[in-house]
Amino acid sequence: MHQKDILFVLNNLIEMHPMRKDAYYGALKTLGLLIKDDRRFFQLPINADAELEKLDGADFERCGALLTMLLREDHWFENAFDERLVQGWPQRIVKRMITLAKEGKY
């Protein structure tokens, strides 16, 4: 996927659908970033709060893993993603991804 296409998907997510869980899932799917092997990125069992604290040093793929983690967290803990949205974590992750994409680091 080209830089302009990646930026379009991410900017659209933030500008048009910043509070919709299904939009985050769709964006990850479109970008090919739905992570299937958590062990590549996280020590199991996953401590989501500790992993989110590492966001500032995360590369593009790890950001995808963090968003996937939050979507999976919602599967196990009802409304967890909604709580993370209120806290601003998904939005911060996407903003980090936008910054990395603008720098050509995707």
Side-chain angles (χ1 to χ4, degrees), residues 31-70:
L31 295 171
L33 288 173
L34 278 172
I35 305 303
K36 295 179 181 169
D37 184 8
D38 292 331
R39 290 173 289 191
R40 279 186 55 219
F41 298 94
F42 310 118
Q43 182 176 335
L44 302 178
I46 297 171
N47 178 336
D49 292 320
E51 295 300 337
L52 289 169
E53 292 300 325
K54 301 174 188 175
L55 175 61
D56 289 341
D59 64 14
F60 196 79
E61 190 176 26
R62 180 170 291 272
C63 288
L66 289 170
L67 281 175
T68 302
M69 174 190 74
L70 294 182

Side-chain angles (χ1 to χ4, degrees), residues 83-105:
E83 291 175 27
R84 296 292 187 181
L85 283 168
V86 170
Q87 296 168 353
W89 282 110
Q91 301 92 322
R92 282 186 251 173
I93 295 168
V94 172
K95 287 178 183 175
R96 169 90 178 138
M97 293 173 84
I98 290 169
T99 298
L100 291 167
K102 285 180 179 177
E103 294 172 356
K105 299 176 182 176

